[in-house]
Amino acid sequence: MRNYLQARREVQTIIKQGAFDLVHAQWGQSAVLALPKMKPLIVTFRGDDAYGIVGKRTHQTVQGMILKMVSCYAARIADERIVVSQELASHLALSDYHVIPSGIDFNKFRPMERQEARRILKLPDKKLVLFVGDHSNPRKRLPLIEEAVALVQASQPDLEFVCVNNIPHQQIPLYMNACDVLILASVREGSPNVVKEALACNLPVVSTDVGDVRERINAIEGCEICEDAKPETIAAALKRVVRRAQRVDSRNTVLDLDEHLLTQKVIDVYLNALEKQRK
């Protein structure tokens, strides 16, 4: 937050000097930079800003509580509010808002031949479980995932865990096409891009019930929602998906997330904010 406050003067100068019609803040705390308001303010809430920050023991931190308070204030003063999933709105007590998740580049995230992807990445010809995320973020619960994978490996030694972090985004589709299943076990998420991108590649997903994941995968045969976060539950879901040994028919279910379509929805929100200003 100190960095945001230090940057506020610079942002205020840019707003004053530029020929801008409105300000769009990504994350609730970013709205602080636009205060006091000189232009219509749109705020997109993405996850931690609505939930708060999870600490090492997956409990709410003091910083997280402050962040949520700042975001609730930003939601009250914003001219238009966007949330990336329906669930986030309840955490901010919103009544007037737009649900617009992050979009997908379908040219980048598309099915490709598995063996070719493995050849490029030099991955072994085994059953591969993929995790994509920040290893150090307690919210992602990597130790829980590792425990669940180890339980599966006890009976299926040909299973290998592929943990991806800090690589160029253009390589992620290769990993999704090379692996057999994506796993997510986060405490909290808004609308996790990694799940939507996996579905665009027809990659099966095993996930805890967070954000809008249930909405995305519940009706897709070959994907699994875990009803609790016990390693045994996650391991059982992984076993079922690995045993099925098939890609899923999921790409068509996320075509409404084409980034070009969602961009137009955001532009419509801008136009709505400007129309309100004129009245």
Side-chain angles (χ1 to χ4, degrees), residues 100-148:
I100 307 177
S102 298
I104 301 171
D105 182 345
F106 283 98
N107 291 322
K108 181 186 296 183
F109 288 91
R110 55 184 174 81
M112 65 178 291
E113 209 282 318
R114 182 183 302 177
Q115 290 307 122
E116 176 63 10
R118 290 185 176 187
R119 183 191 66 79
I120 294 171
L121 296 172
K122 297 180 171 58
L123 290 174
D125 190 19
K126 296 183 176 182
K127 299 294 184 182
L128 303 180
V129 178
L130 176 65
F131 168 80
V132 179
D134 182 356
H135 299 183
S136 63
N137 189 339
R139 177 169 57 86
K140 300 294 184 179
R141 294 198 287 204
L142 181 56
L144 170 62
I145 292 173
E146 291 174 327
E147 187 176 352

Side-chain angles (χ1 to χ4, degrees), residues 66-123:
I66 295 172
L67 174 59
K68 185 168 182 178
M69 289 172 60
V70 169
S71 295
C72 286
Y73 176 70
R76 287 199 300 273
I77 64 167
D79 296 281
E80 297 286 349
R81 292 147 290 272
I82 298 173
V83 290
V84 296
S85 69
Q86 183 69 45
E87 185 194 17
L88 287 184
S90 62
H91 288 269
L92 294 166
L94 298 181
S95 57
D96 181 17
Y97 57 91
H98 310 269
V99 180
I100 307 177
S102 298
I104 301 171
D105 182 345
F106 283 98
N107 291 322
K108 181 186 296 183
F109 288 91
R110 55 184 174 81
M112 65 178 291
E113 209 282 318
R114 182 183 302 177
Q115 290 307 122
E116 176 63 10
R118 290 185 176 187
R119 183 191 66 79
I120 294 171
L121 296 172
K122 297 180 171 58
L123 290 174

Side-chain angles (χ1 to χ4, degrees), residues 32-261:
V32 172
L33 278 65
L35 300 180
K37 282 197 302 177
M38 292 177 282
K39 302 288 183 180
L41 176 63
I42 293 91
V43 184
T44 293
F45 300 93
R46 296 193 164 276
D48 283 349
D49 47 0
Y51 294 130
I53 299 170
V54 173
K56 290 184 178 179
R57 295 182 179 178
T58 66
H59 294 151
Q60 180 77 279
T61 64
V62 173
Q63 293 94 331
M65 289 187 283
I66 295 172
L67 174 59
K68 185 168 182 178
M69 289 172 60
V70 169
S71 295
C72 286
Y73 176 70
R76 287 199 300 273
I77 64 167
D79 296 281
E80 297 286 349
R81 292 147 290 272
I82 298 173
V83 290
V84 296
S85 69
Q86 183 69 45
E87 185 194 17
L88 287 184
S90 62
H91 288 269
L92 294 166
L94 298 181
S95 57
D96 181 17
Y97 57 91
H98 310 269
V99 180
I100 307 177
S102 298
I104 301 171
D105 182 345
F106 283 98
N107 291 322
K108 181 186 296 183
F109 288 91
R110 55 184 174 81
M112 65 178 291
E113 209 282 318
R114 182 183 302 177
Q115 290 307 122
E116 176 63 10
R118 290 185 176 187
R119 183 191 66 79
I120 294 171
L121 296 172
K122 297 180 171 58
L123 290 174
D125 190 19
K126 296 183 176 182
K127 299 294 184 182
L128 303 180
V129 178
L130 176 65
F131 168 80
V132 179
D134 182 356
H135 299 183
S136 63
N137 189 339
R139 177 169 57 86
K140 300 294 184 179
R141 294 198 287 204
L142 181 56
L144 170 62
I145 292 173
E146 291 174 327
E147 187 176 352
V149 171
L151 288 174
V152 181
Q153 287 172 323
S155 59
Q156 294 185 240
D158 64 332
L159 189 85
E160 187 164 313
F161 187 38
V162 179
C163 211
V164 173
N165 186 29
N166 289 330
I167 66 166
H169 192 243
Q170 60 265 27
Q171 289 188 21
I172 300 296
L174 280 173
Y175 279 94
M176 289 185 167
N177 279 286
C179 293
D180 296 277
V181 56
L182 175 83
I183 187 167
L184 182 77
S186 300
V187 179
R188 293 170 177 168
E189 292 282 355
S191 177
N193 280 5
V194 67
V195 168
K196 295 176 287 188
E197 291 165 350
L199 296 178
C201 296
N202 289 333
L203 176 66
V205 175
V206 170
S207 177
T208 48
D209 189 3
V210 290
D212 62 355
V213 177
R214 181 180 289 275
E215 173 190 341
R216 297 290 170 201
I217 73 172
N218 207 36
I220 299 174
E221 184 180 0
C223 291
E224 295 257 357
I225 281 282
C226 302
E227 297 303 331
D228 59 56
K230 296 176 182 177
E232 296 81 6
T233 303
I234 298 171
L238 274 176
K239 282 182 180 179
R240 288 191 293 270
V241 172
V242 171
R243 190 182 306 123
R244 184 174 181 269
Q246 295 179 34
R247 306 308 269 183
V248 290
D249 184 15
S250 57
R251 184 175 174 85
N252 288 337
T253 70
V254 290
L255 291 179
D256 61 320
L257 299 177
D258 186 301
E259 60 186 7
H260 298 96
L261 297 176

